[in-house]
Amino acid sequence: MTEVTAIYYFEPETGTTPEFAAQAIADEETTGTWTDLSTRTDYVERLDGKVLSLKPSGDGYITEILYPAEIFEPGNISQYLSVIAGNLFGLGRLKCVRLLDVDFPKELTRFNGPNFGIKGVRKLIGTEKSKRPHVGTIIKPKVGLNPKDTAEVAYLAAIGGVDFIKDDETLTDQKFCPLFERVETVMSRLDDAMSETGRSILYAANVSERADKIVERARKAVDCGANAVMVDVITCGFCAVEALAQDPGINVPIHVHRTMHAAMTRNTKHGIAMRPIARLVRLAGGDQLHTGTVSGKMGHDPKDIIVDNKTLTDEYFGLNPVFPVASGGLYPGKVHAELSALGTEIILQAGGGIHGHPDGTKYGAMAMRQAVDAFMEGASPEEYAKTHRELRLAIEKWGI
Ligand SMILES: O=C(COP(=O)(O)O)[C@H](O)[C@H](O)COP(=O)(O)O
Ligand SMILES: [Mg+2]
């Protein structure tokens, strides 16, 4: 295949035929504009976009648009987005339009992709054989704690059994918790936890920052001991993920948070679905990506999440599979529902669902691990709670 095909849902504006609307997308994102051009030459024609298909769907239509691969600058994800997710959203002849998915030809997917991916992260944690889901937590409150208290929360979550600890998406390098001091303090307490438990635990410091500074910030975080980094991909950009993944000085897993995504992904009639975002994060080199929960606090459609996760884990031009992260309103009683729907090749992440446990963080982490153990042993959480106090207390507080 030597072209890019993108699939859109759209509803034409009153007085606009669906055929005209679909062609308007193809024209706007390739060689056309709103009127004919005296400057058009014959040889430009090879770059024209084409409407491959147009079918009624619900209140609107689904169309597949062909974009000649030559329009795309190989390796430039920002430019890819300017084509497949550019001006078209503003076209007046469309009442609404949503990018559902995109298919790239091999020559446009020559990226190194995730350096670690699922296999590499499992190797770091030592779960290659068990295949159990990883349990992660977000330090809460999301902002405000000083480095010392942040480290204590991390330590308690670690000895309680989490595999992964992250900063929240709004915590970066504020005065109340300077980044590098936080990294050093957290890692020193995690070293204590790792020697006490004999387990490996990852801490992803949020290095989100200006494009020309993020790599240096991440390198310094790693030099201070961070064994993972986190980046907010929508606010920092896909190129930020790529810059971190490509940098030899940042040889740790990259956890990709997607805050602000819902401005684009949530409206099922207008914006960008999570699937193309997931595909681009994999190309860019993210090792772990939030893709939503089937039972948590954020709006979600379980059917979509299952397919989005497959976009991260299925074979794709030889790129490492990316660990999907189910997070947002999860607590021990939700684990069974998540794993039944999404499988175990996943990271289950809970902030409030661990730090809000009646007995505190350590026991909240234990309750999450007990809920995972119950699932892996084929036991119901209610059954397992009869012999596991921490899980029982979590179920008594939040239910199933
Ligand atoms: O801090 C949290 C969850 O905290 P809590 O566990 O307390 O709800 C994350 O930012 C959300 O998961 C983001 O949502 P998504 O993962 O859908 O991007
Ligand atoms: Mg958060």
Side-chain angles (χ1 to χ4, degrees):
M1 179 176 72
T2 57
E3 62 276 320
V4 175
T5 51
I7 301 173
Y8 301 92
Y9 169 86
F10 74 89
E11 292 172 19
E13 200 44 271
T14 322
T16 298
T17 65
E19 292 74 12
F20 184 96
Q23 190 57 49
I25 296 173
D27 292 346
E28 178 59 35
E29 297 307 346
T30 55
T31 55
T33 187
W34 61 275
T35 181
D36 58 317
L37 297 168
S38 62
T39 49
R40 234 180 115 78
T41 60
D42 294 350
Y43 64 80
V44 160
E45 210 170 294
R46 74 180 191 286
L47 300 181
D48 288 353
K50 289 186 187 59
V51 175
L52 290 181
S53 65
L54 173 61
K55 291 193 286 286
S57 170
D59 300 335
Y61 298 84
I62 288 192
T63 185
E64 190 177 6
I65 305 282
L66 176 153
Y67 297 126
E70 202 184 337
I71 287 186
F72 296 83
E73 181 198 346
N76 185 340
I77 291 180
S78 303
Q79 190 267 341
Y80 291 11
L81 275 167
S82 299
V83 179
I84 63 175
N87 288 355
L88 67 98
F89 291 117
L91 288 174
R93 304 300 286 267
L94 303 173
K95 200 184 291 171
C96 57
V97 52
R98 186 185 204 223
L99 171 64
L100 300 177
D101 202 354
V102 60
D103 246 340
F104 294 106
K106 181 154 185 58
E107 66 262 28
L108 292 178
T109 62
R110 293 192 203 289
F111 292 81
N112 296 334
N115 296 315
F116 291 83
I118 297 178
K119 206 156 156 248
V121 172
R122 281 195 177 280
K123 196 155 179 291
L124 289 174
I125 301 295
T127 57
E128 310 98 301
K129 291 202 174 57
S130 77
K131 291 286 176 222
R132 70 167 171 80
H134 284 184
V135 172
T137 193
I138 310 105
I139 302 287
K140 300 280 181 180
K142 65 197 301 178
V143 289
L145 293 180
N146 61 36
K148 184 175 169 307
D149 291 344
T150 302
E152 278 320 300
V153 171
Y155 170 78
L156 291 170
I159 57 170
V162 301
D163 306 295
F164 175 72
I165 298 164
K166 65 182 278 294
D167 290 341
D168 222 330
E169 74 282 354
T170 54
L171 181 67
T172 48
D173 188 25
Q174 291 94 329
K175 278 199 181 60
F176 55 77
C177 196
L179 170 63
F180 304 121
E181 185 190 344
R182 175 168 81 247
V183 170
E184 285 170 348
T185 321
V186 167
M187 287 315 296
S188 135
R189 286 302 271 143
L190 286 189
D191 287 342
D192 298 342
M194 290 190 261
S195 41
E196 284 166 39
T197 62
R199 290 187 304 108
S200 300
I201 297 134
L202 293 177
Y203 164 58
N206 184 0
V207 295
S208 299
E209 164 60 296
R210 228 172 68 180
D212 59 337
K213 292 185 164 185
I214 190 167
V215 168
E216 182 199 339
R217 171 173 280 194
R219 276 192 193 159
K220 196 165 169 202
V222 171
D223 291 347
C224 290
N227 53 13
V229 292
M230 163 177 161
V231 58
D232 296 338
V233 61
I234 308 296
T235 51
C236 288
F238 291 84
C239 303
V241 178
E242 202 184 346
L244 296 175
Q246 302 279 359
D247 188 83
I250 305 165
N251 53 345
V252 297
I254 298 167
H255 179 88
V256 181
H257 197 287
R258 59 176 184 168
T259 193
M260 193 163 91
H261 77 92
M264 297 178 271
T265 58
R266 186 158 189 193
N267 182 332
T268 55
K269 290 193 167 187
H270 186 81
I272 303 174
M274 190 60 208
R275 208 151 305 158
I277 293 174
R279 233 182 255 294
L280 292 171
V281 166
R282 188 172 183 180
L283 290 178
D287 293 294
Q288 305 182 166
L289 170 66
H290 289 235
T291 50
T293 68
V294 296
S295 64
K297 73 184 179 190
M298 305 288 187
H300 50 260
D301 177 338
K303 289 191 301 319
D304 282 341
I305 295 175
I306 290 164
V307 180
D308 294 345
N309 287 357
K310 281 176 66 55
T311 305
L312 291 178
T313 56
D314 282 357
E315 163 48 36
Y316 190 61
F317 296 110
L319 297 177
N320 282 330
V322 178
F323 235 144
V325 178
S327 174
L330 290 188
Y331 48 80
K334 294 266 186 192
V335 165
H336 198 272
E338 293 300 316
L339 297 180
S340 306
L342 301 177
T344 57
E345 197 76 305
I346 201 157
I347 297 170
L348 290 169
Q349 203 171 263
I354 283 181
H355 310 300
H357 187 278
D359 284 356
T361 295
K362 175 183 170 189
Y363 301 97
M366 287 171 73
M368 279 297 285
R369 283 297 302 271
Q370 289 164 4
V372 167
D373 295 346
F375 183 87
M376 299 304 280
E377 292 167 29
S380 74
E382 298 88 337
E383 199 49 41
Y384 215 73
K386 286 180 188 151
T387 52
H388 294 81
R389 178 178 180 280
E390 295 76 14
L391 179 55
R392 177 171 54 76
L393 288 177
I395 292 174
E396 282 169 4
K397 177 168 182 179
W398 294 307
I400 295 284

